[in-house]
Amino acid sequence: ERIAQQDQQVRAYLGVCPERALAQARKIDRQVAAGEPLGPLAGVPTAVKDVILTRGLRTTCASRILENYVAPYDATAVERLEAAGAVVLGKTNCDEFAMGSSTENSGFFPTCNPHDLSRVPGGSSGGSAAAVAANLATVSLGSDTGGSIRQPAALCGVVGIMGTYGRVSRFGLVAFASSLDHIGPFGRTVRDVARVLRAIAGRDPKDSTSAAVPVADYEATLDQSLRGVKVGVPSEYFAGLSAEIGDNVQKGIDLLAKLGCSIVPISLPHTDYAIACYYIICTAEASSNLARYDGVRYGFRSPEPELHDMYRKTRDQGFGAEVKRRIMLGTHVLSSGYYDAYYLKAQKVRTLIARDFLEAFEAVDVIVTPTSPIPAFKLGERVDDPLQMYLADIYTVTASLAGIPGISVPCGRTKGEPRLPVGMQMLAKHFREARLLQVAHGFEKAGGFAIA
Ligand code: GLN
């Protein structure tokens, strides 16, 4: 009912699934009545980004090309959520194929930021962040390739975590850039995302890149003291930042110091190359992954009698402008004569960026940065300027390229009206999610920033 009333303004959902939700709720009710043990997410209302497959439900990737595509199976993350008792309410809006930073690239409609309906919720998982911020779900799943969980979490004032690459199975996540794609949760508190992450993480034989590293009980260590934790602050992430973001993040760092963390200035020298590197690698992978939408195997098909016309028209009519831009860019950087200059070079730079982090983590436990250089911007403000849109990812793409885990937690609000949420990003070494969640939780508890 709440979705029916309030989502007319926010537009976080592309579709809801009341039958599936009520069936699961009845199952949980029966377990309660029978006194059976309940799963860790029993009865928790959950939204799922529409790039994640849900059996029997439409899974569109917010693209016209998949407008009528019904998934034949559940993603492993969804299967695990439901096994833990979660109640899936529906599928959330996003940028088409998760390409974007504002949810304005959705092939259907943009989602609005619940804190100010004239502004974007961030992206690409804007619907999943907005659903949680507007209390239209308790938790949600998003996907993060270059910041699509952390950045919308920051802009909507909620918590979002991307685990280590391989921490959560990608089986059933529609591929955008396979070496960068992750599934991860949004919630109103660090504890909520810790619980969801634990439920969905772990080795999955259906995804050969999922890691066989044991999953810790993240909630068990949340309340450990922050005394002595070494927090790195990279100088490269504080230049060219809006003053209000900088002030809030600085206050956040001061709070961590007050909690007993030692603050260590560090340098991540290859940060400047991250956006260029990311947009070469992700478009290269996207151009390959999206070749499968040919009008034959999936979704939309343009009714042309001649085969090549059919391919061309299907893709021309089915894909939006940003998706086409990336397919062209990705094809270009992979083409003979350009491969060495662009794609191969970007792969080398990726290694240097990862090495920056590994060296930094010799000296510190976590790294703290702003999540986004700016707070939620106005709908329409950046949508015609792809480069401006790409720059919104400046602080998030580095962790994606390095494969390390990252979380965004609320760390205050801007001064003007409306007071917009500001997010702080924390990063840790591969598979140190427990440490990340512990620091984020200690920070949240001391600052009281979370929207209750
Ligand atoms: N905004 C970035 C992009 O457009 C990241 C998207 C994502 O993480 N899925 O590629």
Side-chain angles (χ1 to χ4, degrees):
E1 280 166 11
R2 204 179 146 80
I3 292 169
Q5 280 167 11
Q6 305 206 354
D7 204 38
Q8 285 171 15
Q9 282 89 49
V10 178
R11 311 202 81 183
Y13 285 91
L14 286 173
V16 288
C17 49
E19 290 93 29
R20 182 169 173 150
L22 290 171
Q24 172 81 341
R26 277 191 288 271
K27 188 174 139 198
I28 306 289
D29 277 344
R30 275 197 303 273
Q31 290 177 343
V32 172
E36 287 168 20
L38 298 175
L41 297 170
V44 176
T46 304
V48 177
K49 184 179 182 180
D50 212 20
V51 293
I52 299 171
L53 300 198
T54 41
R55 186 189 171 129
L57 299 179
R58 282 202 313 162
T59 298
T60 68
C61 300
S63 181
R64 293 277 172 198
I65 214 160
L66 289 176
E67 191 166 1
N68 295 311
Y69 176 70
V70 175
Y73 58 87
D74 281 318
T76 298
V78 170
E79 210 175 83
R80 290 182 180 179
L81 275 183
E82 288 188 325
V87 177
V88 173
L89 302 177
K91 306 297 294 288
T92 55
N93 197 16
C94 54
D95 289 298
E96 186 176 4
F97 286 102
M99 297 175 184
S101 309
S102 69
T103 313
E104 292 166 293
N105 292 337
S106 166
F108 303 114
F109 48 78
T111 295
C112 304
N113 191 311
H115 297 275
D116 175 352
L117 296 174
S118 70
R119 290 174 191 270
V120 303
S124 64
S125 313
S128 288
V132 171
N135 219 345
L136 304 175
T138 302
V139 294
S140 60
L141 289 186
S143 70
D144 195 316
T145 302
S148 281
I149 293 175
R150 293 159 286 156
Q151 185 258 16
L155 271 48
C156 287
V158 299
V159 183
I161 185 167
M162 169 189 80
T164 307
Y165 181 77
R167 182 65 301 180
V168 177
S169 168
R170 288 183 294 115
F171 183 73
L173 170 63
V174 176
F176 158 16
S178 309
S179 79
L180 296 156
D181 291 342
H182 308 67
I183 291 178
F186 291 92
R188 277 189 279 281
T189 65
V190 174
R191 187 177 292 282
D192 286 358
V193 300
R195 188 171 296 190
V196 177
L197 183 64
R198 187 184 184 202
I200 61 177
R203 171 77 189 156
D204 173 14
K206 294 179 185 142
D207 171 6
S208 61
T209 63
S210 69
V213 176
V215 181
D217 178 355
Y218 301 129
E219 283 183 83
T221 48
L222 284 184
D223 285 300
Q224 283 178 5
S225 158
L226 300 193
R227 202 149 286 287
V229 172
K230 293 197 224 65
V231 173
V233 178
S235 52
E236 292 82 0
Y237 286 65
F238 289 82
L241 187 67
S242 93
E244 292 207 87
I245 303 275
D247 289 352
N248 277 297
V249 175
Q250 188 51 52
K251 278 188 204 137
I253 294 168
D254 296 344
L255 178 59
L256 287 171
K258 242 175 65 193
L259 294 171
C261 299
S262 51
I263 309 298
V264 187
I266 60 165
S267 174
L268 297 165
H270 296 93
T271 304
D272 261 1
Y273 307 106
I275 288 280
C277 174
Y278 170 80
Y279 277 96
I280 289 172
I281 293 174
C282 86
T283 56
E285 292 187 25
S287 71
S288 167
N289 275 326
L290 271 62
R292 74 190 69 175
Y293 306 105
D294 56 3
V296 177
R297 285 169 292 183
Y298 300 93
F300 173 72
R301 175 194 187 102
S302 179
E304 295 296 320
E306 204 277 321
L307 184 64
H308 273 95
D309 292 344
M310 190 282 284
Y311 287 152
R312 201 174 303 124
K313 286 261 169 67
T314 295
R315 290 167 70 80
D316 187 34
Q317 294 164 4
F319 289 139
E322 181 61 24
V323 173
K324 288 181 197 165
R325 184 177 296 125
R326 293 193 188 202
I327 292 171
M328 286 190 282
L329 189 57
T331 306
H332 180 71
V333 300
L334 288 174
S335 58
S336 160
Y338 293 101
Y339 181 97
D340 288 0
Y342 293 114
Y343 183 72
L344 190 64
K345 181 74 115 211
Q347 290 291 12
K348 292 178 179 172
V349 173
R350 182 177 190 174
T351 300
L352 295 176
I353 289 170
R355 225 177 259 167
D356 278 358
F357 280 111
L358 292 182
E359 278 167 24
F361 287 126
E362 299 274 310
V364 299
D365 303 300
V366 297
I367 293 174
V368 165
T369 80
T371 307
S372 159
I374 44 167
F377 42 96
K378 292 266 187 195
L379 285 154
E381 192 179 296
R382 294 190 165 209
V383 76
D384 297 322
D385 188 344
L387 191 58
Q388 276 306 308
M389 197 67 96
Y390 296 172
L391 288 171
D393 309 323
I394 194 152
Y395 301 136
T396 49
V397 295
T398 45
S400 312
L401 290 165
I404 59 171
I407 190 169
S408 180
V409 280
C411 93
R413 286 176 182 263
T414 60
K415 290 204 189 76
E417 273 307 317
R419 302 193 58 211
L420 300 167
V422 174
M424 181 155 107
Q425 177 176 239
M426 299 177 180
L427 308 171
K429 214 170 164 170
H430 298 100
F431 299 106
R432 298 285 163 82
E433 286 84 3
R435 174 45 71 89
L436 208 51
L437 289 158
Q438 176 216 344
V439 177
H441 175 74
F443 177 76
E444 173 188 86
K445 221 166 44 171
F449 298 120
I451 53 168

